[in-house]
Amino acid sequence: MAGTLRRLVRVRDLSIGGGAAVSVQSMTKTATSNVSATVAQIRELEAAGCDLVRVGVPDLAAARALGEIKSQIGIPLVADIHFDHRLALEAIAQGVDKLRLNPGNLQDPLKIKAVVEAAAQARIPIRVGVNCGSLPHEVRARYGVQLSSTEGSARALVEAALTHIKLLEDLGFEAIVVSLKSFDVPSTIRAYEIMAAERDYPLHIGITEAGVPPAASVRSAVGIGALLSRGLGDTVRVSLTADPVEEVRVAIEVLRSLNLRAGGVTLISCPTCARCHTDLQPIAAEVERRLRPLDRRLRQARRDLRVAVMGCEVNGPGEAREVDVGVAAGPKSAALFVGGEIVGHIPPAKIADALVAEVERLVAEP
Ligand code: SF4
């Protein structure tokens, strides 16, 4: 569905575009110069399924911490830099795997050239990331009131990105990833459509400044899902005013919803209704929580496992039979299904234990 026609860009051993699997990224919320806090957060993101991580580099202390951070993590490290080309040069010297910057913000052509040459020599790509909130003044002035329309703001985003991209292309640099983000979902979708017709660089997608979950998760899922369904999107970042681990969880669920992410546990649970005689909500929540460590192992093994927690005998047996492990609760006990067969009946208080035990057994199988 996604990424098949875009150019391939490599970030260390991770492929973006060229038909590669859509990757998930996030951004740390710690002070980058605080190495131990930043590494701890990156490790949490890595454990949650993050494929590459970006850190903000607001000053030289942050830039100088990058090598130490990189030496302690397993996923590619992206440095997010604005305005000061010395930070970009230091980040490259520290061994980062990718830069996010807008060359136009560096102003001086000689400074842009220095950064681009250093990136080319280090064989690292650059993401040109344009946000509606930081459009160049001249683009903002030219579009004026049109910025309030979907088409106008989309075209302004693309124009700003193309201006930055051209600075790189004129220097012969084409290891480029592009993002065009807005809070407004229709403008974002339209901007990526226009950009996809202009250039074949891989697309980093997301809805920026989406807000606080759950509203932000829904907004992100709608925007990212719509883009991916159009074949637009090679790497995803969900932006939430929340723990970044939640960003990764939402991104992975969006990809799984579109069958774009292999490996892991998918939990199917019914919403419950008057037919349900079991307090299913805490059971489903407990199962979800206890399956997370197994989810990581399955992701790494690219193995899929589906688990169902169903509240009654109407849809319950059908769903529970279709998955690897499932329960269909009844008035007094729940039928436990493994591989489509009933293997026993369990009291409601033991549902979570029984499900998790069966999943652990299946995961342990070769
Ligand atoms: Fe209601 Fe049963 Fe459907 Fe759950 S599976 S929503 S309890 S009818």
Side-chain angles (χ1 to χ4, degrees), residues 270-276 280 310-316:
C270 84
T272 78
C273 70
R275 288 196 176 83
C276 185
L280 213 65
M310 303 296 293
C312 80
E313 54 285 329
V314 176
N315 293 324

Side-chain angles (χ1 to χ4, degrees), residues 163-304:
T163 306
H164 295 312
I165 288 169
K166 188 137 189 337
L167 292 170
L168 297 178
E169 290 175 337
D170 288 348
L171 292 164
F173 189 92
E174 296 191 340
I176 299 170
V177 179
V178 186
S179 66
L180 309 146
K181 295 189 191 171
S182 166
F183 173 78
D184 185 66
V185 171
S187 302
T188 306
I189 294 169
R190 184 70 188 124
Y192 281 101
E193 285 175 340
I194 299 168
M195 178 55 81
E198 291 281 341
R199 295 288 198 283
D200 68 349
Y201 297 121
L203 301 171
H204 163 129
I205 60 170
I207 302 300
T208 197
E209 294 133 19
V212 177
S217 306
V218 174
R219 176 171 280 271
S220 296
V222 169
I224 293 168
L227 283 164
L228 291 171
S229 297
R230 288 164 166 80
L232 300 173
D234 302 283
T235 183
V236 170
R237 194 260 170 123
V238 169
S239 306
L240 305 178
T241 310
D243 184 335
V245 167
E246 191 59 24
E247 296 184 352
V248 172
R249 290 209 188 105
V250 172
I252 289 177
E253 279 311 315
V254 171
L255 295 180
R256 279 186 182 154
S257 303
L258 294 166
N259 299 335
L260 290 172
R261 184 90 173 185
V265 181
T266 301
L267 180 64
I268 297 159
S269 61
C270 84
T272 78
C273 70
R275 288 196 176 83
C276 185
H277 300 284
T278 309
D279 188 8
L280 213 65
Q281 201 175 319
I283 295 173
E286 183 184 344
V287 169
E288 194 271 341
R289 181 179 53 75
R290 288 175 62 183
L291 291 181
R292 274 184 209 160
L294 299 170
D295 183 64
R296 185 184 183 191
R297 282 175 57 186
L298 288 164
R299 271 192 273 110
Q300 285 166 344
R302 290 275 185 266
R303 209 175 134 197
D304 287 298

Side-chain angles (χ1 to χ4, degrees), residues 6 11 36 54 65 89 93 140-141 157 175 185 191 215 221 224 245 295 306 315-316 327 345 353:
R6 320 304 302 170
V11 185
S36 57
R54 182 162 44 116
L89 292 176
R140 194 166 277 286
L157 278 168
V185 171
I224 293 168
V245 167
D295 183 64
R306 295 200 304 155
N315 293 324
V327 286
H345 288 85
D353 287 345

Side-chain angles (χ1 to χ4, degrees), residues 303 305-308 316-328 334-346 351 353-363 365:
R303 209 175 134 197
L305 215 125
R306 295 200 304 155
V307 176
E319 288 286 1
R321 198 170 274 125
E322 292 298 314
V323 297
D324 297 287
V325 184
V327 286
L336 175 65
F337 292 76
V338 178
E341 304 291 335
I342 294 180
V343 297
H345 288 85
I346 41 179
I351 290 176
D353 287 345
L355 274 176
V356 173
E358 283 302 329
V359 174
E360 280 172 345
R361 193 182 57 73
L362 286 178
V363 170
E365 282 180 0

